[in-house]
Amino acid sequence: MMLDRLRQAVDAGFAQQTAFLTELVKFPSTRGEEAPLQDWMARQLAARGYSVDRYVLGDLDMSHLPGFSPVLDTDYSRAVQVVGTRRAAAPTGRSLIIQGHVDVVPTGPTALWSAPPFSGDAKGEWLHGRGAGDMKQGVSAMVFALDAIRAAGLELTADIHVQTVTEEECTGNGALSTLARGYRADAVLIPEPTDATITRAHVGVMWFRLRVRGVPVHVARAQAGSNAIMSAYQLILALQRHTEQLNAAARQDPWFGGIPDPLKFNPGVIRGGDWASSTPAWCEVDCRIGLLPGSTLEDARRGVERCVAEAARADGFMANNPPDIIWNGFQADGYVLEPGSDAERVLAEAHQAVFGAPMEERRSTAVNDTRFYGLYHHMPALCYGPRGINVHGFDEAAHLPTLQQVTLAIACFVTEWCGVREVG
Amino acid sequence: MMLDRLRQAVDAGFAQQTAFLTELVKFPSTRGEEAPLQDWMARQLAARGYSVDRYVLGDLDMSHLPGFSPVLDTDYSRAVQVVGTRRAAAPTGRSLIIQGHVDVVPTGPTALWSAPPFSGDAKGEWLHGRGAGDMKQGVSAMVFALDAIRAAGLELTADIHVQTVTEEECTGNGALSTLARGYRADAVLIPEPTDATITRAHVGVMWFRLRVRGVPVHVARAQAGSNAIMSAYQLILALQRHTEQLNAAARQDPWFGGIPDPLKFNPGVIRGGDWASSTPAWCEVDCRIGLLPGSTLEDARRGVERCVAEAARADGFMANNPPDIIWNGFQADGYVLEPGSDAERVLAEAHQAVFGAPMEERRSTAVNDTRFYGLYHHMPALCYGPRGINVHGFDEAAHLPTLQQVTLAIACFVTEWCGVREVG
């Protein structure tokens, strides 16, 4: 009966939810540009009766907190975070944080998209756009699952915090800030696009910048110079070999042993030189590398530093002009959701009820924000959400039928976890 | 006696010449930013009594002319060229074009310079700065050699054109424009920093941009994507092997056979990707490659295109997503100054008189503007000038004692070539 009441409410609200998601996608909320979306979100939550805490990362000192990632070139005075809270009058159930991120990764060349990436174009079962999948649809599921509970004539008997954060794609400092500000709960749900699976474990991720020098000379005398672009390539090859060794060792890992090459190394951005006819004097490569849960960031950094130092020593120029490594962005631990929590059991039951099949689990070779709650604050932190395709790629899209079901599953989970009572 | 009169005048003017060179160096005349310098130069020439023709490249249609190089992203409405002419009342001697370029290559990271690159800082025998060596000192030599002739009480009995152009470092379209505009003479002198040698031959140069695509995916699924940065490196390696083959064949060349690896390939600028955690969807590399005099640009382009196509075919992704090659910038033929011209003989005598030693020759593995005059218009085009160090590198500098001697040698050459008469 409860399921039917909630289903009716979710279905009745789904046209509005799709419109809400379209609005969300239309905000070009790439890193540093999320503030207008967050302002809009704060108004949306306030209009629904949430008590809204809107603040910017620049207001907080977090550099001493576990999980903090250093940043370059990002203006935290514009990094708006939003926490909407609905407090139960006389709490009897278990409190919940439900969180989504609104930052999106860059679009890449827009010519390679079928429709403009911030148009919110919908075709049949799919709603396209950068961030439609990862994870603006999840944000719509959070908001509309709770709307459905109200629409079904119910109210929660525990506190709930609805959090939309930034920086998930690069540092996690948005999620960290909600903890720094003091928000806590008995469980956390983050509806990343998991295709209705629960994330059992995710790897850690580190970002770093390689900075290589060269000796610029007129190319007519190229043998007298040193080409920083080619030096950078030597370091990339060395890091690829290093990653192969890490993955060989990862075959013994209890969580990731069964996944081929779970630790990815990615040279993602490169810039170097300024003139075709001069040997380039500098080259910078922004890189990403994974690490296993349970291993330490410190050890992983030392591994990268040793690899780069050895490659540099083997090179005539770099031996005397060692490259720099700048640890900038993600310094993110891996995380394992230990099996057996009540929160997971309640979510699995909600999933079974909606999908008619058991909730499967996945292991993720990328991070998400659950680590802050689970690893540093021992709250069960569930990563479970709808289905997205081409996440971080061209023609990213949200699958609307799955979104509708997951919204219902979340509504069921919340009613069971927090408890509900009939509204007068 | 003539030598002594000219030497006295050059020496008397050298403090002023050094100040003139310092002014020139202070203009940050990188590509596209030369106009203020050229405006100043036009005033300098007008003040000396030259008839001045100042125009911009955007005024001319040159795309049909041999030697023209296509450009991207450069605003030719701001590309100011200057031709100062002094016409002889009753010409009896041989006319001369004396030309220098005022564009300079980028500075690279200024932190790596001992003094700011546009400060015109002088230390002992050296005047530092980007362009001090290549070739603002040569421009000062042109202007002050002619000033010295006047100061010595002489005037030329033939027409002379004093030309300052741009685009020498990237296309040569500045020099080409003076020919398009109709300037011709019986000989041409370009005082590039040759350390008082004559340039017997120079290679040709082509610029091109490699544009490689990739498939961006979240790095968690990196095996499903294709990394454009790594694809670009495959092409660079293939072009390095191609260049080795070209240099093996060059051992048979009459002019460059004795020079190890005269044909340089340089990946000079790289840009790719926009996010550390996404496989990069694009990468562009601006490249430079040489060719021998006598070989054709068309053949050289076909060689590059074949090399890139073969490397692409060997790669799973690039085979179906072939990279683009954009021929942008230098499409410059090589040039040989055939021995035996009167102009060269007169210059050699002037050099011998000033330096007390024969003028040596060099073969250059980079282009200069003489090709336009020599190759397409059959004027003897002499490249001979002062001494510069760290050209295109950090702490570029002009060697002032050599500059003073070369200025005198040029004055001697001009008086002999054009003829002079005493001014009343």
Side-chain angles (χ1 to χ4, degrees), chain A residues 356-394:
Chain A
M359 177 174 76
E360 295 187 357
E361 67 176 49
R362 63 167 197 147
R363 282 125 209 239
S364 171
T365 51
V367 283
N368 64 59
D369 278 339
T370 53
R371 68 189 183 279
F372 294 101
Y373 304 95
L375 203 57
Y376 311 126
H377 294 275
H378 310 293
M379 307 177 208
L382 311 170
C383 183
Y384 168 94
R387 180 177 171 208
I389 55 165
N390 300 332
V391 162
H392 290 215
F394 302 125

Side-chain angles (χ1 to χ4, degrees), chain B residues 170-415:
Chain B
C170 45
T171 63
N173 289 341
L176 179 62
S177 77
T178 68
L179 289 154
R181 213 151 164 96
Y183 294 101
R184 303 285 186 276
D186 296 315
V188 179
L189 175 67
I190 298 184
E192 290 272 5
T194 69
D195 201 2
T197 64
I198 182 82
T199 305
R200 176 61 58 213
H202 70 67
V203 300
V205 165
M206 300 186 306
W207 280 13
F208 56 98
R209 177 171 291 177
L210 295 173
R211 185 174 283 165
V212 185
R213 276 173 284 175
V215 172
V217 293
H218 195 298
V219 71
R221 302 181 298 112
Q223 68 281 5
S226 180
N227 187 315
I229 294 173
M230 298 314 291
S231 294
Y233 272 118
Q234 293 308 310
L235 302 183
I236 289 172
L237 295 178
L239 286 162
Q240 286 182 330
R241 290 190 296 269
H242 174 67
T243 309
E244 283 167 18
Q245 291 167 10
L246 295 177
N247 278 313
R251 290 193 204 112
Q252 310 306 319
D253 186 77
W255 301 107
F256 287 94
I259 295 180
D261 299 333
L263 302 179
K264 310 294 184 189
F265 165 68
N266 186 57
V269 186
I270 193 167
R271 290 172 297 277
D274 38 30
W275 198 251
S277 280
S278 298
T279 57
W282 59 280
C283 188
E284 292 184 343
V285 189
D286 289 346
C287 300
R288 177 267 195 208
I289 196 167
L291 65 152
L292 291 171
S295 61
T296 71
L297 292 164
E298 189 49 40
D299 282 351
R301 279 191 287 258
R302 269 205 296 268
V304 167
E305 284 164 350
R306 200 161 43 228
C307 165
V308 168
E310 277 170 17
R313 267 199 300 277
D315 176 271
F317 176 78
M318 286 191 286
N320 294 313
N321 298 273
D324 293 322
I325 301 178
I326 299 150
W327 299 97
N328 161 43
F330 275 133
Q331 305 297 316
D333 285 300
Y335 168 58
V336 175
L337 171 69
E338 292 296 337
S341 69
D342 265 4
E344 183 179 336
R345 186 186 47 77
V346 172
L347 179 63
E349 288 168 4
H351 175 90
Q352 173 80 49
V354 171
F355 285 86
M359 179 173 74
E360 296 187 358
E361 67 178 49
R362 62 169 198 147
R363 283 124 208 240
S364 172
T365 51
V367 283
N368 64 59
D369 278 340
T370 53
R371 68 190 184 279
F372 293 102
Y373 304 94
L375 203 58
Y376 311 126
H377 295 273
H378 310 292
M379 308 177 208
L382 311 170
C383 183
Y384 168 94
R387 178 176 172 209
I389 56 164
N390 299 334
V391 162
H392 290 214
F394 302 125
D395 290 343
E396 177 178 348
H399 188 238
L400 296 173
T402 308
L403 174 60
Q404 192 165 350
Q405 285 184 293
V406 163
T407 302
L408 177 57
I410 292 174
C412 292
F413 165 72
V414 173
T415 53

Side-chain angles (χ1 to χ4, degrees), chain A residues 214-404:
Chain A
V215 172
V217 294
H218 195 297
V219 71
R221 301 180 300 114
Q223 68 282 4
S226 180
N227 186 316
I229 294 173
M230 298 315 292
S231 293
Y233 182 53
Q234 293 308 314
L235 301 184
I236 290 171
L237 293 179
L239 285 163
Q240 286 183 331
R241 290 190 296 269
H242 174 66
T243 310
E244 283 167 18
Q245 290 167 10
L246 296 177
N247 279 312
R251 290 192 204 112
Q252 309 307 320
D253 186 76
W255 302 107
F256 288 94
I259 295 180
D261 300 334
L263 302 178
K264 311 292 185 191
F265 166 68
N266 186 57
V269 186
I270 193 166
R271 292 171 295 280
D274 38 31
W275 198 249
S277 280
S278 298
T279 55
W282 59 281
C283 188
E284 292 184 343
V285 189
D286 290 345
C287 300
R288 177 266 198 211
I289 196 167
L291 66 152
L292 291 171
S295 60
T296 72
L297 292 163
E298 189 50 40
D299 281 351
R301 278 191 288 259
R302 266 204 298 267
V304 167
E305 284 165 350
R306 202 162 40 229
C307 165
V308 168
E310 277 170 17
R313 267 199 300 277
D315 177 89
F317 176 77
M318 285 192 285
N320 294 314
N321 299 273
D324 294 322
I325 302 178
I326 299 150
W327 299 97
N328 162 41
F330 276 133
Q331 304 298 316
D333 286 300
Y335 168 58
V336 175
L337 171 69
E338 292 297 336
S341 68
D342 266 4
E344 182 179 337
R345 185 186 49 74
V346 172
L347 179 62
E349 287 168 5
H351 175 90
Q352 172 79 47
V354 171
F355 285 86
M359 177 174 76
E360 295 187 357
E361 67 176 49
R362 63 167 197 147
R363 282 125 209 239
S364 171
T365 51
V367 283
N368 64 59
D369 278 339
T370 53
R371 68 189 183 279
F372 294 101
Y373 304 95
L375 203 57
Y376 311 126
H377 294 275
H378 310 293
M379 307 177 208
L382 311 170
C383 183
Y384 168 94
R387 180 177 171 208
I389 55 165
N390 300 332
V391 162
H392 290 215
F394 302 125
D395 290 343
E396 178 180 348
H399 187 239
L400 296 174
T402 307
L403 175 60
Q404 194 166 350

Side-chain angles (χ1 to χ4, degrees), chain B residues 60-218:
Chain B
L60 302 171
D61 177 16
M62 301 189 290
S63 57
H64 59 290
L65 295 177
F68 176 77
S69 294
V71 293
L72 288 175
D73 311 329
T74 304
D75 178 3
Y76 270 2
S77 75
R78 295 173 61 211
V80 177
Q81 315 299 312
V82 175
V83 178
T85 299
R86 199 187 292 279
R87 293 181 173 81
T92 54
R94 294 165 289 196
S95 61
L96 181 67
I97 287 169
I98 185 164
Q99 177 181 296
H101 69 86
V102 297
D103 54 314
V104 301
V105 299
T107 62
T110 53
L112 298 179
W113 286 72
S114 304
F118 297 115
S119 64
D121 200 44
K123 275 197 192 118
E125 296 187 341
W126 299 95
L127 197 150
H128 289 260
R130 169 59 79 236
D134 178 14
M135 65 169 279
K136 290 178 174 179
Q137 60 171 333
V139 170
S140 82
M142 289 159 40
V143 173
F144 281 81
L146 298 173
D147 282 1
I149 293 169
R150 302 277 290 185
L154 302 166
E155 73 179 18
L156 302 182
T157 56
D159 292 355
I160 190 159
H161 304 291
V162 179
Q163 303 180 168
T164 55
V165 300
T166 70
E167 292 277 300
E168 192 273 345
E169 298 286 6
C170 45
T171 63
N173 289 341
L176 179 62
S177 77
T178 68
L179 289 154
R181 213 151 164 96
Y183 294 101
R184 303 285 186 276
D186 296 315
V188 179
L189 175 67
I190 298 184
E192 290 272 5
T194 69
D195 201 2
T197 64
I198 182 82
T199 305
R200 176 61 58 213
H202 70 67
V203 300
V205 165
M206 300 186 306
W207 280 13
F208 56 98
R209 177 171 291 177
L210 295 173
R211 185 174 283 165
V212 185
R213 276 173 284 175
V215 172
V217 293
H218 195 298

Side-chain angles (χ1 to χ4, degrees), chain A residues 20-221:
Chain A
F20 180 95
L21 174 54
T22 303
E23 282 304 297
L24 275 179
V25 171
K26 285 181 175 171
F27 288 98
S29 55
T30 50
R31 188 183 194 185
E33 306 300 330
E34 310 93 342
L37 184 158
Q38 291 282 62
D39 294 340
W40 179 85
M41 181 62 67
R43 291 193 298 274
Q44 287 286 326
L45 293 177
R48 284 165 166 80
Y50 293 91
S51 155
V52 173
D53 178 14
R54 182 178 59 157
Y55 62 95
V56 297
L57 294 185
D59 291 344
L60 301 171
D61 177 15
M62 300 190 290
S63 57
H64 59 292
L65 296 178
F68 176 76
S69 293
V71 293
L72 288 176
D73 312 328
T74 304
D75 179 3
Y76 271 2
S77 74
R78 295 173 61 210
V80 177
Q81 314 299 311
V82 175
V83 178
T85 299
R86 200 187 291 278
R87 294 181 173 83
T92 55
R94 292 164 292 196
S95 61
L96 182 67
I97 287 169
I98 185 164
Q99 177 181 295
H101 69 85
V102 297
D103 54 312
V104 302
V105 300
T107 62
T110 53
L112 299 177
W113 286 72
S114 304
F118 296 115
S119 62
D121 201 43
K123 276 193 192 126
E125 296 187 339
W126 298 96
L127 197 149
H128 289 258
R130 169 61 77 236
D134 179 13
M135 62 169 283
K136 290 178 173 179
Q137 61 170 334
V139 170
S140 82
M142 288 159 40
V143 173
F144 281 80
L146 298 173
D147 282 1
I149 294 169
R150 303 276 289 184
L154 301 165
E155 73 180 18
L156 302 182
T157 57
D159 291 355
I160 190 160
H161 304 293
V162 178
Q163 303 180 168
T164 55
V165 300
T166 70
E167 292 278 298
E168 193 273 345
E169 298 285 8
C170 45
T171 63
N173 289 340
L176 179 61
S177 77
T178 66
L179 289 155
R181 214 152 163 93
Y183 295 101
R184 302 285 186 279
D186 296 316
V188 178
L189 175 67
I190 298 184
E192 290 273 4
T194 68
D195 201 2
T197 64
I198 182 82
T199 306
R200 174 62 57 213
H202 71 65
V203 299
V205 165
M206 299 185 305
W207 279 12
F208 57 96
R209 176 170 293 176
L210 295 174
R211 185 173 285 163
V212 185
R213 277 172 283 174
V215 172
V217 294
H218 195 297
V219 71
R221 301 180 300 114

